[in-house]
Amino acid sequence: MLQAGFDIGGTNIAAGIVDEDAKLVLKRSIPFPAGEPYQVAVEALAQLLTEMTEELFVPVSSLASIGIAVPGSIDQASERVVHAYNLQFHDVPLRSALMGYFPSVPVFLANDANAAALAELYAGAFVGCKTAVLITLGTGIGGGLILGGRMFNGGLGNGVELGHMVLEHGGPLCTCGTRGCIEALCTATWLVQQGRKSLIEYPHAMIATKAGQVLSNVNAKLVIDCAKAGDAIAKDIFDRYVDQLGSALTSCFNLLDPEVIALGGGVSLAGEFLFSPLRENVKQKCFFKNCGKIVQAKLGNDAGIIGAAMLAKN
Ligand SMILES: [Zn+2]
């Protein structure tokens, strides 16, 4: 049986059809109709799915399920999107709206980070695991948990907000309004902020030179590249980043004793330059002598659609 998955983002809607082994057999992407009522997006989903199934010569009604991942919070019954700020979806009955087009196919709804963790369980870094943590290091922090071999959506159904666990009491202000969250200290955004600060303090150092003295040219990759090239100022920023992220991961290991923590998102592309000192950092801080592995997430941009497609199995 085939299953369909949608990953709705503020820029694009990605769609995929996967087989029983969570392998993608077809993938498409269309622009998200920003600024339109949600019904326009739902109609676009329905049309896209119809076209994709036609391409595979199967009717939509033969699909085992349809899953939708959104960057926001879902109500306890998994019927409605409570808030998805990037999509301007507020209290949207997304599940019933799509079922209106395909009444015979079960539709499931989830947060995109949770869905990504589920995708890693079926087809990526968490295959065979019972307890695992996914953390995506981007502009913000995304995260999902696998507990007891299933996607965990919080005890009260509010989801999991790994990025807003407090890492430094009274630390820098987070986007959520609290201080010292993991999101305030472990994102690509933190690397960018520190890189820009250094550009003013050290105008002759490598970050400033490579950025042509222009603040907006400083991104996380530039800071990481300068650290890789051995620049002392960039290396100092990167070492502090590893230390902060190491503390965040240590807390996850101490809380859940997971078999694996997988890191995704842009910063994780630094590869062993990040992972090797990070493992060493966690080894020194973790309560357990034999804590789980720290690996790169495997599914990248496809995680949302694969996870959405696998929701029925959760
Ligand atoms: Zn926060």
Side-chain angles (χ1 to χ4, degrees), residues 38-115:
Y38 77 86
Q39 290 90 344
V40 176
V42 175
E43 197 184 337
L45 295 181
Q47 197 187 332
L48 181 60
L49 187 56
T50 305
E51 287 168 15
M52 289 172 77
T53 49
E54 278 171 6
E55 205 172 319
L56 294 171
F57 301 104
V58 294
V60 175
S61 59
S62 75
L63 293 173
S65 65
I66 303 169
I68 313 172
V70 295
S73 49
I74 309 295
D75 73 329
Q76 281 190 37
S78 298
E79 293 277 345
R80 309 171 83 89
V81 179
V82 181
H83 290 294
Y85 291 95
N86 286 345
L87 312 180
Q88 294 182 328
F89 280 7
H90 303 286
D91 196 28
V92 167
L94 196 55
R95 180 169 178 267
S96 60
L98 192 62
M99 284 192 82
Y101 286 87
F102 311 113
S104 64
V105 186
V107 175
F108 297 86
L109 202 55
N111 166 271
D112 58 358
N114 285 353

Side-chain angles (χ1 to χ4, degrees), residues 163-164 174-176 178 181 183:
H164 299 289
C174 179
T175 51
C176 72
T178 298
C181 295
E183 179 153 310

Side-chain angles (χ1 to χ4, degrees), residues 27 120 173:
K27 192 169 85 168
E120 295 290 343
L173 193 62

Side-chain angles (χ1 to χ4, degrees), residues 223-305:
V223 175
I224 293 169
D225 285 346
C226 291
K228 277 183 179 170
D231 175 71
I233 287 150
K235 187 72 172 55
D236 176 61
I237 294 172
F238 190 75
D239 289 349
R240 279 157 57 210
Y241 179 83
V242 168
D243 197 22
Q244 288 162 191
L245 183 58
S247 292
L249 299 195
T250 297
S251 289
C252 292
F253 276 118
N254 288 348
L255 180 66
L256 297 168
D257 188 24
E259 294 147 275
V260 180
I261 294 180
L263 303 179
V267 180
S268 75
L269 301 177
E272 279 308 298
F273 185 69
L274 170 69
F275 283 90
S276 177
L278 191 57
R279 288 182 190 117
E280 195 51 45
N281 189 282
V282 170
K283 202 172 146 189
Q284 285 169 17
K285 293 171 181 167
C286 188
F287 187 84
F288 310 115
K289 290 290 152 271
N290 60 341
C291 72
K293 290 180 198 151
I294 301 171
V295 302
Q296 195 157 6
K298 280 192 181 163
L299 299 172
N301 290 337
D302 293 336
I305 43 180

